[in-house]
Amino acid sequence: MIQERVSLSKARQQWIRWQRLLRAQRPGDLFFRGITLLFVLIVLGLVAGTAWILISNSLPTIRRFGFSFLTNKAFDPVHDSYGVLPAIFGTLITSAFALIFAVPLGVGASIFLVDFCPRPLRLVLAFLIDLLAAIPSVIYGLWGFLVLAPWLHNNGEPWLQQHLGFLPLFQGQPEGVGYLGAGIILTMMVLPLIISVSREVMLVTPVAQREALLALGATRWEVIRHAVLPFARVGILGGVILALGRALGETMAVTMIVGNQANEPSLSLFTPGYTLASVIANQFGEATPGLFLSAIIEAGLILFIITLITNILARWLIASLQRQAQGRSRGGRL
Amino acid sequence: MTQFTPSPSHRGRLQLRYLSALLLLGLLALLAACGNNSNSSGGTTTGSNSNTCPSTKQLTGAGSTFDNPLFSKMFQEYPKVNCGINVNYQAVGSGAGINNLLQHIVDFGATDAPMTTDQLNKSTSGPILHIPITIGAVAISYNLSGVSQLKLTGPILAAIYQGKITSWDDPQIKAINSGVNLPHKNITVVHRSDGSGTTSIFTHYLSAISPDWQSKVGAGTTVNWPTGVGAKGSSGVAGQIKNTDGAIGYVELTYVLANNIPYAQLQNAAGKFVAPSLDSAKADAESFTSIPADLRFYIVNGSGDNAYPITGFSWVVVYQNQSNSDKGQALARLLWWMVHDGQQYAQPLNYVPLPDTIVSKDEAQIKAIRCGSSACYSGS
């Protein structure tokens, strides 16, 4: 009883506090707060609506195939048997390829831009790189299809096979189109994103930190290693997440060069393959209502979930990095 | 708490902003309302109702991209000779065209693959009629340096597309290409990655030729390809072939003729090697004497001496029972014109004109369209 009354009075106190807060605010503020809240709710509603549409429209295949949709190799409308294993594999392998190459390249390039590049040149280079980020993906795709794929087929892939053919990555018949080509195109597409973001965060490293290290006799590399990179780490990771998002969902450019063939997942980068986005782009136009359409929408749902999971993991990584950094600064270490 | 007191001008600006925000919201609401209105008020038509012309002045269709160049020309000419009836055709793909018809978004659909029984059962407005409107052929294109003439047979083609023949100097290919120096080169198999009527015709041909193909892969607008690389659209497949020495692929004949792409001769059911052309495709269509009355039929592998075997119809699909009889009359007139006078535009655009045997079957289908208790088409 007493407890109840205490909690009641607590709630009452809370209520009074709210009332006071509301009274203290002028109607204009209240109105503005309401409007902005509405905008947030609209955005949340859109995401929730997307998820709901994806789930409700893919129910036929979810019921029919369950988890085998994730492990079945064939996407076969003729026999009404659907699976997206090759597409999931292709989405992950091409995005991973892109990040493995784009992150070191991008961070390295932004270190040059921030620390070594003469100022006038930096402005020009930064402008050009931002321009690269604005090129529509279909143009990357055309370049990939008309220039990169023939070159890979005739020169690039045979060369790799000749010199590095002992690696399983470079075995199989060179086709030009395939995971290698898609990975290269994705690398090119996410590189400007990573460079732009890392450059911005490196530029705001406190000068005092740099100068302190220089005063201790540190080399340029040591300044970057111990002052700039730890400071910019979280920001760079943010750029990488943006890049990953783009790589996972990229549709047009990848469709034009990935080979669009549901092959068994294999380590060979020469294999023509599929990604979830390209399955949707290819099949949606001719999909007929029923299991076929449902399967395509479930492919979209899986892409949605993969994007969600990678984003959550990345947030968690950033949070833990930040905590680590705070802990370190409290401990008095550099 | 509030140290900040807005100056009059500042407050004025704030109010202005509220106003503009409100205006924006109002505008959005208005737009949404308008969107709804335009959807619901599509059926009403006004205009003079003469004795011969239906009052409907606008018909809409959607579907096959293959038909689009021909339809563009037809629907450009049609209003000039027939009551000024405009036809709005959207080339959204055969599957989407069928979906649009089933959802009553359009008056007719156009498709390169006949509707399946499953799809027909989804109709909420009764039976749907298939009317062949033109004929398409699929050419086998290739890129093989030093080889300008190539002959193939159906079984070889099926084996290549199943990954059973992987090299150009395979004994089976050599046997029918005497005198041609075939290199020892891997075959790169190219297929369409997007769903397509071209794929449907091609895979129905392979199924007709090879029981093994029929049981393992089957036929449809999209199949689970055993091997090869997929490219998007006719231009994608043609580009992939052009880029790759040793490639083989299938491309619709209109595209091949318009772009001078090398193609192979194919052995037909009579044992003759025939190049794809408008004439040989027409010969194939003419060689079928018994076609089911609903015209949902693949005319692959015809028996004539000059028949090119990978040939198929492109259909217009309409509801047999038209709910709006005025619109139904306009539609029936349009279809009648398309299978008669409209056919003159086929040849110049590299389409195969319908043979007379098919036109008479189409006439029966068009006369079967009902507007209430009578037939929609009133001519003869």
Side-chain angles (χ1 to χ4, degrees):
Chain A
M1 269 293 265
I2 293 170
Q3 253 182 348
E4 215 171 284
R5 197 175 294 166
V6 167
S7 68
L8 240 175
S9 73
K10 248 188 192 162
R12 201 175 155 69
Q13 274 174 5
Q14 192 78 32
W15 174 244
I16 291 170
R17 204 175 298 154
W18 262 102
Q19 288 284 312
R20 228 176 262 153
L21 209 77
L22 284 180
R23 231 174 291 142
Q25 286 188 346
R26 285 154 307 152
D29 277 350
L30 212 64
F31 179 65
F32 184 61
R33 182 205 281 238
I35 291 266
T36 48
L37 181 68
L38 183 72
F39 289 165
V40 169
L41 289 180
I42 287 175
V43 171
L44 284 179
L46 283 176
V47 176
T50 309
W52 186 73
I53 291 282
L54 285 175
I55 292 170
S56 64
N57 281 302
S58 56
L59 275 180
T61 39
I62 293 176
R63 286 214 189 95
R64 175 84 168 266
F65 302 113
F67 276 104
S68 75
F69 190 76
L70 303 178
T71 54
N72 186 356
K73 181 180 96 78
F75 194 93
D76 188 350
V78 178
H79 301 105
D80 256 346
S81 153
Y82 300 96
V84 287
L85 179 65
I88 294 175
F89 176 77
T91 303
L92 295 178
I93 196 175
T94 50
S95 299
F97 182 104
L99 287 194
I100 287 170
F101 284 91
V103 172
L105 265 173
V107 174
S110 44
I111 288 175
F112 172 79
L113 283 175
V114 172
D115 270 76
F116 298 100
C117 190
R119 200 178 149 73
L121 185 61
R122 184 209 291 172
L123 290 178
V124 174
L125 284 179
F127 174 73
L128 287 177
I129 286 165
D130 287 345
L131 207 66
L132 281 182
I135 295 178
S137 64
V138 67
I139 301 207
Y140 281 103
L142 276 177
W143 183 83
F145 182 75
L146 294 174
V147 180
L148 181 63
W151 183 83
L152 281 176
H153 179 254
N154 297 323
N155 307 93
E157 289 180 349
W159 187 90
L160 282 170
Q161 196 152 46
Q162 202 182 335
H163 294 90
L164 297 165
F166 56 89
L167 292 171
L169 291 175
F170 305 120
Q171 285 166 6
Q173 192 187 334
E175 300 277 19
V177 294
Y179 291 134
L180 183 63
I184 292 174
I185 286 286
L186 281 179
T187 307
M188 290 172 54
M189 292 178 69
V190 302
L191 199 51
L193 263 178
I194 294 181
I195 296 178
S196 294
V197 175
S198 338
R199 192 192 64 219
E200 293 304 322
V201 292
M202 283 182 189
L203 274 176
V204 294
T205 310
V207 181
Q209 279 193 22
R210 291 166 171 269
E211 287 177 346
L213 268 179
L214 285 171
L216 289 173
T219 60
R220 269 267 173 84
W221 162 244
E222 281 165 340
V223 172
I224 291 162
R225 170 78 185 76
H226 294 293
V228 178
L229 286 183
F231 180 84
R233 200 164 48 174
V234 172
I236 292 173
L237 206 63
V240 172
I241 295 169
L242 274 179
L244 181 61
R246 179 158 197 194
L248 286 172
E250 177 47 46
T251 308
M252 203 55 226
V254 170
T255 303
M256 290 170 98
I257 196 173
V258 77
N260 303 308
Q261 168 74 17
N263 281 317
E264 200 92 44
S266 86
L267 276 179
S268 167
L269 290 175
F270 295 174
T271 321
Y274 246 134
T275 68
L276 286 164
S278 67
V279 168
I280 300 169
N282 274 312
Q283 307 296 348
F284 187 71
E286 293 290 317
T288 45
L291 280 181
F292 192 0
L293 195 59
S294 164
I296 290 170
I297 294 169
E298 193 177 347
L301 178 65
I302 291 168
L303 185 57
F304 189 76
I305 291 171
I306 289 178
T307 318
L308 223 60
I309 290 175
T310 50
N311 265 294
I312 289 169
L313 281 180
R315 295 274 148 202
W316 175 78
L317 195 63
I318 287 184
S320 71
L321 272 181
Q322 266 168 336
R323 230 174 299 130
Q324 210 180 330
Q326 277 165 4
R328 211 182 273 177
S329 66
R330 261 204 299 278
R333 278 182 53 195
L334 195 81
Chain B
M1 195 171 148
T2 52
Q3 292 171 327
F4 166 75
T5 48
S7 63
S9 72
H10 193 95
R11 190 170 278 175
R13 217 180 301 153
L14 270 175
Q15 277 167 353
L16 237 166
R17 284 200 189 145
Y18 288 145
L19 261 176
S20 53
L22 274 173
L23 264 174
L24 199 82
L25 280 173
L27 215 88
L28 279 173
L30 209 79
L31 271 176
C34 284
N36 283 340
N37 271 348
S38 65
N39 275 345
S40 59
S41 69
T44 54
T45 45
T46 51
S48 61
N49 198 349
S50 76
N51 289 333
T52 51
C53 284
S55 62
T56 299
K57 291 288 174 249
Q58 173 88 39
L59 291 168
T60 57
S64 160
T65 47
F66 164 74
D67 289 334
N68 194 34
L70 177 63
F71 280 12
S72 300
K73 180 68 182 167
M74 281 183 170
F75 300 152
Q76 185 192 334
E77 299 298 327
Y78 185 69
K80 296 178 192 165
V81 292
N82 271 288
C83 303
I85 297 175
N86 283 306
V87 185
N88 176 6
Y89 182 74
Q90 286 154 23
V92 289
S94 298
I98 291 173
N99 291 347
N100 284 356
L101 182 75
L102 289 174
Q103 293 159 359
H104 299 91
I105 297 171
V106 293
D107 303 316
F108 67 91
T111 175
D112 307 333
M115 292 173 70
T116 60
T117 314
D118 198 35
Q119 288 168 347
L120 290 173
N121 289 339
K122 287 206 167 69
S123 163
T124 53
S125 301
I128 291 172
L129 297 176
H130 283 68
I131 300 163
I133 222 73
T134 188
I135 292 167
V138 178
I140 303 304
S141 179
Y142 65 97
N143 174 359
L144 199 53
S145 54
V147 177
S148 56
Q149 277 230 320
L150 185 69
K151 288 177 181 167
L152 291 171
T153 68
I156 290 178
L157 206 53
I160 289 176
Y161 269 82
Q162 280 181 300
K164 288 177 181 166
I165 295 179
T166 57
S167 176
W168 280 106
D169 61 352
D170 190 277
Q172 289 183 65
I173 307 180
K174 271 182 161 172
I176 53 167
N177 285 285
S178 53
V180 179
N181 188 20
L182 289 163
H184 180 70
K185 192 178 270 290
N186 278 329
I187 301 178
T188 297
V189 173
V190 187
H191 55 75
R192 287 282 288 266
S193 62
D194 49 335
S196 159
T198 313
T199 300
S200 180
I201 295 172
F202 181 65
T203 50
H204 273 95
Y205 168 69
L206 291 184
S207 294
I209 287 286
S210 154
D212 193 38
W213 180 277
Q214 188 174 23
S215 64
K216 285 186 183 143
V217 186
T221 51
T222 301
V223 300
N224 187 31
W225 295 100
T227 185
V229 299
K232 203 163 162 30
S234 294
S235 55
V237 172
Q240 185 73 42
I241 295 169
K242 196 178 162 203
N243 282 342
T244 317
D245 192 15
I248 189 168
Y250 60 93
V251 187
E252 69 191 40
L253 180 62
T254 49
Y255 191 90
V256 165
L257 292 178
N259 296 285
N260 282 321
I261 297 167
Y263 49 77
Q265 292 183 345
L266 204 57
Q267 192 176 39
N268 64 16
K272 301 276 197 311
F273 285 94
V274 179
S277 71
L278 301 185
D279 291 336
S280 59
K282 194 174 180 182
D284 176 272
E286 278 168 341
S287 69
F288 286 90
T289 47
S290 61
I291 291 178
D294 67 358
L295 300 181
R296 289 163 58 207
F297 184 69
Y298 278 92
I299 46 169
V300 292
N301 211 24
S303 59
D305 267 5
N306 297 319
Y308 181 74
I310 320 182
T311 301
F313 287 135
S314 184
W315 293 263
V316 161
V317 283
V318 293
Y319 287 109
Q320 179 165 20
N321 300 314
Q322 296 287 322
S323 51
N324 177 339
S325 54
D326 189 67
K327 191 169 246 184
Q329 282 165 18
L331 186 61
R333 285 171 75 121
L334 171 72
L335 294 173
W336 191 271
W337 180 85
M338 284 169 85
V339 301
H340 291 100
D341 293 353
Q343 292 295 315
Q344 60 180 298
Y345 303 110
Q347 197 116 24
L349 292 167
N350 290 324
Y351 287 82
V352 183
L354 293 172
D356 295 338
T357 48
I358 307 299
V359 172
S360 61
K361 288 191 161 60
D362 278 347
E363 287 175 351
Q365 291 283 80
I366 295 169
K367 282 175 182 165
I369 303 174
R370 310 293 297 178
C371 291
S373 55
S374 57
C376 292
Y377 187 72
S378 48
S380 56

